[in-house]
Amino acid sequence: MSPPRLDTLEENIFVNSIPILITGTKLEVPRAKFIPYGLNVNDKKLPKNDDDFAGPLNISSNFLFFNVSYDSLWVNTNGVISLNRGIREVESPKFPNNYAPCISPFWSDIDISHSGEIFYREIIDKPTLQIIEYDIQDKFFSFYDFIATWAFVATWIDVPQFNYNNSFNTFQSVLASNGNLSFVIFNYEQLTWSVETAQAGLNGGDGTHYFNLPGSFSSSIKKLTNLSNIGVVGKWMYRTDSLYNFEYGCPSDNLMRFKPSNVSSLGGDIIDITGPCFNKDDLIFAVIDSDQENPQGCVFKNQFTCSITTKKFKRYGRIPVLLIINSYLLYEEEIDVYEPKNGALIKKNRDSLLSLIEKINNKLINK
């Protein structure tokens, strides 16, 4: 019997630069749209074990990752492709770390002893390489002439969590290169289970260079199937050969930060948002507390900062903020919204009243 599948999925459809969540039955990156995988395309399979790995696997073309060239890799049961050692650990130290350079679509405690399959292979045949290079050319406009000469794909199909066999995750990681430029693609069909220590991203293994995907180390990591950095729900793509040339955003921890970090539910606070890098011509919007009908423009201040003025909140506590840059780059974080005490409310009302009195006086004076 096949494992249960998701019946519905919230999809991001971009209209006028604003994402609208629509519930539907279509999976944006179903396994049928993955890079071909399985025994019929000569994939190899990881053994039906827990916390296992295959490797070292010598590759026919060096893969440049954070400015370091690698000639072998390991495919690990627990949702990781590592570049200097096999990994049996079920939890990842937070990126960045010195533990291992790795590409992690979903590092968590995966157990395929009883169900689930993990496939992998090196790709050098031209038809499959063309599928990958067309995908990269389409999303990285400055590399419209990129020609892939080598690729590697690892695919986790219906993999369960250790000690649980009632929910399943399906995702794929693709590495591609032309000998100088390197790219990583993550395809997510479904993430139906997670733990608070699950992590997705890229780790240079030097304690400095890394890139985390949103939701890592929280249950929100399951939202990777609903989001994207390239405008295709469930698909993520990065250029990874150098230290500072991520095509989208900055080589940071991919987290937004707010100053001030807590604001009044009455609104009227000016918040500086940092984390991603901005260009003066970027279209930047903030969707606060999932209010997609009323997105707020985030005003460009400099390369590292944009600002918004808060409106009155309908509630207080931890409130989600979604930042959208140029329709495809998404950042999500929460801000603390507090309920003001009576004194603050009185002060705000008094300030509003004084402002009104001043306007009336000015009108009387000018008559």
Side-chain angles (χ1 to χ4, degrees), residues 49-53 76-78 82 85-91 99 107-110:
N49 296 327
D50 183 28
D51 303 333
D52 205 351
F53 58 80
N76 305 274
T77 302
N78 290 323
S82 50
R85 49 163 291 188
I87 294 175
R88 298 188 188 278
E89 286 76 6
V90 300
E91 295 181 0
Y99 183 68
W107 188 341
S108 191
D109 193 0
I110 295 171

Side-chain angles (χ1 to χ4, degrees), residues 25 61 86 93 106 115 122 136 163 230 257 263 305 313 336 367:
T25 57
S61 176
F106 186 84
S115 66
E122 185 177 53
I136 293 170
N163 268 347
I230 56 170
R257 293 174 176 83
V263 295
T305 310
F313 291 86
D336 287 313
K367 278 189 175 182

Side-chain angles (χ1 to χ4, degrees), residues 119-348:
F119 299 96
Y120 64 91
R121 81 179 184 281
E122 185 177 53
I123 298 172
I124 55 175
D125 66 283
K126 191 58 180 176
T128 309
L129 287 174
Q130 284 183 333
I131 295 173
I132 297 168
E133 69 189 32
Y134 290 163
D135 207 7
I136 293 170
Q137 291 169 4
D138 183 52
K139 301 302 184 296
F140 288 81
F141 306 123
S142 53
F143 300 113
Y144 63 91
D145 57 351
F146 172 77
I147 302 298
T149 57
W150 173 90
F152 188 91
V153 59
T155 309
W156 287 257
I157 297 294
D158 297 322
V159 293
Q161 181 183 358
F162 176 72
N163 268 347
Y164 294 89
N165 204 35
N166 56 1
S167 57
F168 306 88
N169 291 350
T170 295
F171 53 91
Q172 183 181 69
S173 181
V174 182
L175 285 58
S177 174
N178 67 356
N180 295 310
L181 302 174
S182 299
F183 297 88
V184 168
I185 303 170
F186 294 147
N187 293 317
Y188 295 97
E189 182 191 75
Q190 59 181 12
L191 297 177
T192 62
W193 65 266
S194 179
V195 294
E196 294 294 327
T197 55
Q199 182 166 209
L202 312 167
N203 184 49
D206 56 4
T208 302
H209 299 99
Y210 68 108
F211 202 84
N212 278 335
L213 269 66
S216 291
F217 278 88
S218 77
S219 59
S220 295
I221 196 170
K222 292 191 292 185
K223 294 181 181 179
L224 290 175
T225 60
N226 297 36
L227 301 173
S228 173
N229 70 331
I230 56 170
V232 179
V233 176
K235 182 183 284 286
W236 301 75
M237 191 180 298
Y238 297 96
R239 179 184 169 194
T240 59
D241 47 274
S242 188
L243 298 179
Y244 302 107
N245 58 9
F246 284 90
E247 182 72 0
Y248 300 115
C250 293
S252 65
D253 56 9
N254 207 26
L255 296 177
M256 280 194 296
R257 293 174 176 83
F258 307 108
K259 186 177 181 180
S261 59
N262 55 78
V263 295
S264 165
S265 62
L266 297 175
D269 291 300
I270 297 175
I271 304 174
D272 284 343
I273 298 178
T274 59
C277 281
F278 307 107
N279 294 312
K280 187 175 291 186
D281 297 329
D282 285 342
L283 294 174
I284 313 169
F285 292 92
V287 175
I288 299 176
D289 204 12
S290 303
D291 186 8
Q292 297 166 19
E293 294 183 0
N294 298 289
Q296 294 181 237
C298 197
V299 179
F300 175 87
K301 294 182 71 174
N302 55 51
Q303 181 185 0
F304 307 104
T305 310
C306 72
S307 65
I308 60 173
T309 301
T310 61
K311 300 177 182 178
K312 186 175 181 179
F313 291 86
K314 297 178 181 178
R315 61 191 181 98
Y316 56 91
R318 297 283 290 172
I319 304 298
V321 178
L322 182 68
L323 195 70
I324 308 113
I325 306 174
N326 297 330
S327 301
Y328 52 76
L329 184 58
L330 305 179
Y331 293 82
E332 188 175 22
E333 192 54 76
E334 292 181 335
I335 190 169
D336 287 313
V337 176
Y338 62 86
E339 184 181 29
K341 298 185 182 299
N342 290 337
L345 183 59
I346 292 171
K347 180 180 183 302
K348 196 170 188 75

Side-chain angles (χ1 to χ4, degrees), residues 61-113:
S61 176
N62 284 13
F63 183 72
L64 196 58
F65 186 67
F66 286 109
N67 219 29
V68 178
S69 183
Y70 296 92
D71 59 7
S72 60
L73 53 78
W74 287 253
V75 177
N76 305 274
T77 302
N78 290 323
V80 193
I81 298 174
S82 50
L83 299 172
N84 71 345
R85 49 163 291 188
I87 294 175
R88 298 188 188 278
E89 286 76 6
V90 300
E91 295 181 0
S92 161
K94 285 188 177 182
F95 299 160
N97 61 56
N98 297 308
Y99 183 68
C102 63
I103 293 114
S104 169
F106 186 84
W107 188 341
S108 191
D109 193 0
I110 295 171
D111 181 4
I112 60 169
S113 299

